[in-house]
């Protein structure tokens, strides 16, 4: 009887709290449930209001602070005081990221300023993703500044102080957005079993083509390249260009082809397709936010190769060490190798960095050592890809699913251990994390003879709320029985979320795994949260690419 009375009282309390949230309440009622209630109260002040009022105040302040921070960065970049090349690189990263954040916040404010109710689910998930990325961008900026030598401490301190306040503000903004405009998420636990898987292998693709694209296609076919095939389930392409080093294509470099792509297209316009013939392309490629819905197709792994060797030891930030970087929404890559040849001795050296929302990679290879694949931010999907590396070689803070991929730990430097993942979630409200499903984890050829002397772990917590899930994957016996490794003492061990579900192979036993409170062996219901359908809303955007994918659990 007492238990029933307690349940009734609790339900009434929750009912009246919900009324206060909707109709008006003092800041304490809203803020006390957030990560930083004291800072939340300073953001929204002493006036009474409802969750939408408070949310708009916070978003507006985030937008204003973002503009001030960009102005501060410009004052240093354009000032007369000399700066080291390392500091210039870090400031340029910050300015680039700040401009993205300003756009995300502007778009969020424009919509929430007209809504006093929950948003449609798809739109709400977009803004949740953008606000999560704002936090990631600021943290990336701060991480870059923290690597700068103490000789420029004044600049570092000035910017770091501004960033610290900005990160707390953006955290409040994200939390208030979720409380006000985010509808209750419905997790799917069953999925259709008859999804079509189209054949992308050997450069073959199904397309609907414009007349101009058909002309390029016919020309390419005369050169013996089987680019496309007709199928009722088709990728819509607005234009096709060919990159070839022998001069037979439209362009001889990848960057020239990207420059020719139209700006700010939408999904319904179709893809601007860049077909890259076989060859080794020594180019640093950066696809900016205006170049949306680009599709790049090579002639196969180790046939079409994009390579570079930028690295931290030679003065680059981790962020700008990438051989290939993309932030243009809707990017698709197929049948390409992305490589960083700096080697293990140069430490952080990125082969691919993606901060492109709804980006898709199919049948690609990512080759490097430390920090190979930087899944930086927003929503991403990788299918049937090969990923090679040593230390933290799948890292970042995107919401990302890697499905049916081959993961190959390599031989690190003497005294190093391998960590496959280093996920960078910094806030419990971010919708980010790394989900690895139906992967095959085996030692690369150089590590295979040395698995007895080199320890390999599934991951370690780069940031406070690091979140990584391995499910339905094959783990060879060289994986350390404890599974996971610390970052620094007790850091993040209670706040991280690491989980395993239904894995197989000699390294998959959870009997001797770590005993951290943040580590879990989960069931199918929990694992469903990390599927393509639920974790990255992939059913809304992957089908238009015609890349095969499994929407749920196997």
């Amino acid at each position: 009887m007492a238990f029933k009375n307690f349940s009734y009282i609790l339900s009434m309390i929750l009912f009246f709290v919900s009324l206060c949230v909707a109709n008006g309440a003092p800041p304490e009622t809203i803020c006390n449930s957030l990560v930083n209630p004291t800072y939340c109260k300073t953001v929204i002040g002493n006036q009474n209001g409802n969750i939408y009022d408070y949310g708009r105040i916070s978003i507006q302040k985030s937008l204003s602070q973002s503009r001030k921070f960009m102005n501060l960065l410009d004052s240093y970049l354009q000032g007369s005081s000399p700066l080291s090349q390392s500091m210039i690189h870090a400031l340029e990263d910050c300015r680039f990221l700040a401009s993205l954040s300003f756009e995300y916040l502007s778009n969020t404010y424009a919509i929430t300023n007209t809504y006093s109710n929950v948003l449609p689910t798809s739109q709400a998930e977009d803004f949740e993703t953008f606000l999560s990325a704002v936090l990631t961008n600021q943290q990336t900026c701060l991480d870059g500044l923290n690597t700068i030598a103490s000789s420029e401490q004044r600049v570092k301190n000035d910017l770091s102080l501004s960033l610290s306040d900005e990160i707390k503000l953006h955290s409040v903004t994200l939390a208030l957005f979720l409380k006000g405009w985010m509808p209750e998420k419905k997790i799917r636990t069953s999925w259709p079993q008859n999804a079509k898987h189209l054949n992308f292998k050997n450069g073959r693709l199904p397309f609907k083509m414009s007349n101009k694209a058909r002309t390029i296609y016919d020309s390419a076919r005369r050169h013996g390249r089987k680019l496309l095939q007709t199928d009722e389930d088709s990728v819509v392409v607005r234009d096709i260009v060919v990159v070839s080093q022998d001069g037979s294509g439209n362009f001889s470099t990848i960057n020239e082809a990207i420059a020719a792509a139209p700006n700010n297209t939408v999904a319904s316009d179709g893809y601007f397709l860049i077909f890259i013939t076989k060859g080794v392309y020594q180019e640093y490629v950066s696809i900016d936010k205006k170049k949306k819905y680009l599709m790049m197709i090579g002639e196969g792994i180790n046939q079409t190769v994009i390579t570079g060797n930028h690295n931290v030891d030679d003065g680059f930030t981790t962020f700008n060490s990438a051989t290939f970087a993309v932030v243009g929404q809707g990017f698709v890559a197929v049948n390409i190798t992305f490589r960083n040849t700096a080697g293990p001795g140069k430490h952080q050296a990125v082969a691919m960095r993606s901060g492109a929302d709804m980006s898709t990679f199919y049948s690609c290879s990512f080759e490097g050592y430390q920090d190979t694949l930087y899944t930086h931010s927003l929503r991403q999907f990788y299918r049937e890809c090969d990923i090679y590396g040593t230390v933290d070689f799948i890292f970042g803070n995107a919401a990302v699913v890697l499905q049916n991929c081959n993961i190959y730990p390599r031989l690190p430097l003497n005294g190093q251990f391998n960590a496959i993942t280093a996920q960078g979630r910094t806030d419990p409200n971010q919708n980010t994390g790394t989900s690895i499903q139906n992967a095959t984890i085996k030692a690369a050829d150089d590590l295979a003879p040395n698995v007895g002397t080199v320890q390999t772990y599934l991951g370690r917590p780069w940031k406070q709320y690091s979140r990584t899930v391995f499910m339905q994957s094959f783990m060879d016996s060289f994986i350390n029985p404890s599974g996971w490794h610390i970052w620094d003492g007790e850091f993040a061990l209670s706040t991280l979320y690491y989980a395993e579900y239904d894995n197989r192979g000699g390294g998959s036993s959870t009997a001797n795994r770590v005993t951290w409170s943040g580590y879990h062996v989960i069931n199918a219901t929990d694992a469903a949260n990390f599927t393509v359908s639920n974790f990255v809303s992939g059913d809304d955007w992957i089908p238009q690419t015609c890349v095969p994918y499994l929407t749920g659990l196997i």
Side-chain angles (χ1 to χ4, degrees):
M1 186 67 179
F3 179 77
K4 288 183 179 179
N5 287 338
F6 173 78
S7 299
Y8 173 76
I9 292 169
L10 179 61
S11 67
M12 292 305 295
I13 290 172
L14 292 174
F15 173 72
F16 284 115
V17 167
S18 68
L19 285 179
C20 290
V21 168
N23 299 318
E28 290 79 3
T29 303
I30 305 295
C31 290
N32 285 343
S33 62
L34 302 190
V35 175
N36 193 335
T38 302
Y39 193 82
C40 172
K41 293 167 194 173
T42 67
V43 171
I44 61 180
N46 295 318
Q47 59 194 2
N48 280 3
N50 61 33
I51 187 64
Y52 306 106
D53 299 326
Y54 295 149
R56 289 188 198 95
I57 291 169
S58 187
I59 295 169
Q60 191 170 30
K61 287 188 175 183
S62 278
L63 188 58
S64 175
Q65 183 61 33
S66 182
R67 184 186 291 108
K68 289 178 183 177
F69 186 64
M70 285 195 293
N71 291 338
L72 180 61
L73 291 167
D74 288 339
S75 71
Y76 281 116
L77 285 167
Q78 298 166 11
S80 57
S81 300
L83 298 170
S84 69
Q85 194 61 47
S86 294
M87 177 59 85
I88 291 171
H89 281 316
L91 291 178
E92 288 174 342
D93 288 353
C94 289
R95 184 60 175 81
F96 173 78
L97 291 163
S99 68
L100 294 175
S101 295
F102 184 79
E103 180 178 308
Y104 300 152
L105 288 164
S106 297
N107 293 340
T108 304
Y109 183 68
I111 296 300
T112 54
N113 210 32
T114 63
Y115 268 82
S116 292
N117 208 328
V118 296
L119 290 165
T121 299
S122 179
Q123 192 172 41
E125 288 176 347
D126 287 347
F127 289 123
E128 178 188 21
T129 298
F130 297 153
L131 293 177
S132 294
V134 168
L135 281 167
T136 301
N137 290 344
Q138 299 311 99
Q139 186 63 51
T140 302
C141 172
L142 185 59
D143 288 345
L145 290 171
N146 285 338
T147 65
I148 305 301
S150 58
S151 58
E152 294 177 288
Q153 195 65 41
R154 183 184 65 83
V155 178
K156 286 177 61 176
N157 288 346
D158 192 12
L159 292 169
S160 296
L161 181 62
S162 179
L163 276 169
S164 178
D165 288 341
E166 194 168 344
I167 287 170
K168 287 189 289 186
L169 174 58
H170 297 329
S171 175
V172 170
T173 296
L174 173 59
L176 292 176
F177 174 84
L178 295 178
K179 280 185 172 294
W181 286 277
M182 194 75 193
E184 183 180 355
K185 290 189 176 181
K186 296 179 180 178
I187 301 301
R188 294 180 60 185
T189 56
S190 62
W191 301 270
Q193 299 298 314
N194 57 350
K196 292 184 178 179
H197 286 185
L198 302 178
N199 181 14
F200 265 84
K201 295 295 185 181
N202 302 316
R204 298 171 69 238
L205 272 174
F207 286 122
K208 291 177 180 174
M209 291 176 285
S210 65
N211 290 335
K212 183 179 179 182
R214 173 65 64 179
T215 301
I216 298 293
Y217 164 57
D218 289 342
S219 174
R221 286 194 66 183
R222 285 195 294 273
H223 285 82
R225 303 187 188 100
K226 288 187 176 180
L227 285 174
L228 320 169
Q229 66 181 19
T230 302
D231 191 287
E232 60 180 5
D233 295 300
S234 309
V235 174
V236 178
V237 172
R238 62 178 294 153
D239 206 350
I240 301 175
V241 297
V242 176
V243 177
S244 181
Q245 292 175 324
D246 65 8
S248 63
N250 305 91
F251 303 100
S252 59
T253 70
I254 298 165
N255 281 306
E256 288 173 326
I258 293 168
N263 293 331
N264 296 315
T265 58
V266 296
S268 59
D269 291 335
Y271 290 97
F272 183 87
L273 186 136
I274 301 172
F275 180 74
I276 309 170
T277 63
K278 65 177 62 176
V280 177
Y281 294 80
Q282 296 183 338
E283 297 187 51
Y284 293 96
V285 178
S286 183
I287 302 174
D288 73 23
K289 63 184 180 182
K290 297 189 299 294
K291 303 295 184 179
K292 299 179 180 179
Y293 295 98
L294 296 187
M295 179 178 281
M296 288 188 177
I297 304 171
E299 293 205 66
I301 291 174
N302 293 327
Q303 298 298 308
T304 298
V305 180
I306 304 172
T307 185
N309 63 1
H310 286 173
N311 60 84
V312 167
D313 279 17
D314 288 343
F316 296 88
T317 61
T318 300
F319 186 81
N320 65 33
S321 71
T323 300
F324 193 105
V326 56
V327 295
Q329 180 176 307
F331 178 76
V332 182
V334 182
N335 292 343
I336 300 172
T337 291
F338 302 94
R339 182 178 290 163
N340 191 311
T341 61
K346 292 290 187 176
H347 299 99
Q348 296 95 332
V350 176
M352 160 63 70
R353 187 191 82 233
S354 178
D357 195 27
M358 298 182 287
S359 52
T360 306
F361 300 84
Y362 177 55
S363 190
C364 290
S365 183
F366 306 94
E367 300 176 8
Y369 288 85
Q370 183 170 349
D371 290 2
T372 303
L373 177 58
Y374 196 172
T375 58
H376 180 261
S377 56
L378 304 171
R379 292 166 289 196
Q380 305 179 27
F381 177 64
Y382 297 74
R383 170 81 181 202
E384 294 174 35
C385 292
D386 298 337
I387 308 160
Y388 296 82
T390 55
V391 180
D392 307 334
F393 65 96
I394 302 171
F395 76 113
N397 196 25
V400 56
V401 176
L402 298 100
Q403 192 176 82
N404 292 26
C405 292
N406 299 308
I407 298 174
Y408 296 111
R410 305 174 87 167
L411 184 67
L413 295 173
N414 286 337
Q416 286 185 332
F417 60 85
N418 288 331
I420 293 172
T421 65
Q423 206 282 324
R425 186 166 170 251
T426 60
D427 190 286
N429 286 314
Q430 286 178 302
N431 64 347
T432 55
T434 299
S435 174
I436 298 176
Q437 181 185 23
N438 199 31
T440 298
I441 306 171
K442 290 186 175 182
D445 290 345
D446 59 349
L447 178 63
N450 299 282
V451 293
T453 58
V454 175
Q455 299 302 310
T456 297
Y457 299 87
L458 299 176
R460 59 180 184 151
W462 181 29
K463 300 297 181 185
Q464 185 82 43
Y465 295 94
S466 183
R467 181 161 64 173
T468 303
V469 177
F470 282 82
M471 54 189 190
Q472 301 179 313
S473 294
F474 174 83
M475 302 175 180
D476 215 342
S477 56
F478 70 101
I479 298 297
N480 186 284
S482 63
W484 307 82
H485 198 279
I486 63 167
W487 185 271
D488 183 15
E490 297 293 310
F491 171 74
L493 302 189
S494 62
T495 51
L496 60 79
Y497 183 90
Y498 286 167
E500 297 180 56
Y501 167 70
D502 194 28
N503 296 305
R504 59 195 184 278
S508 67
S509 172
T510 59
N512 295 304
R513 289 297 198 243
V514 293
T515 57
W516 312 334
S517 58
Y519 170 73
H520 310 274
V521 178
I522 58 176
N523 58 25
T525 301
D526 292 330
N529 287 287
F530 301 97
T531 59
V532 168
S533 179
N534 291 324
F535 195 52
V536 295
S537 302
D539 296 324
D540 295 337
W541 53 274
I542 297 175
Q544 73 185 51
T545 70
C546 280
V547 169
Y549 75 101
L550 182 65
T551 193
L553 296 172
I554 297 172

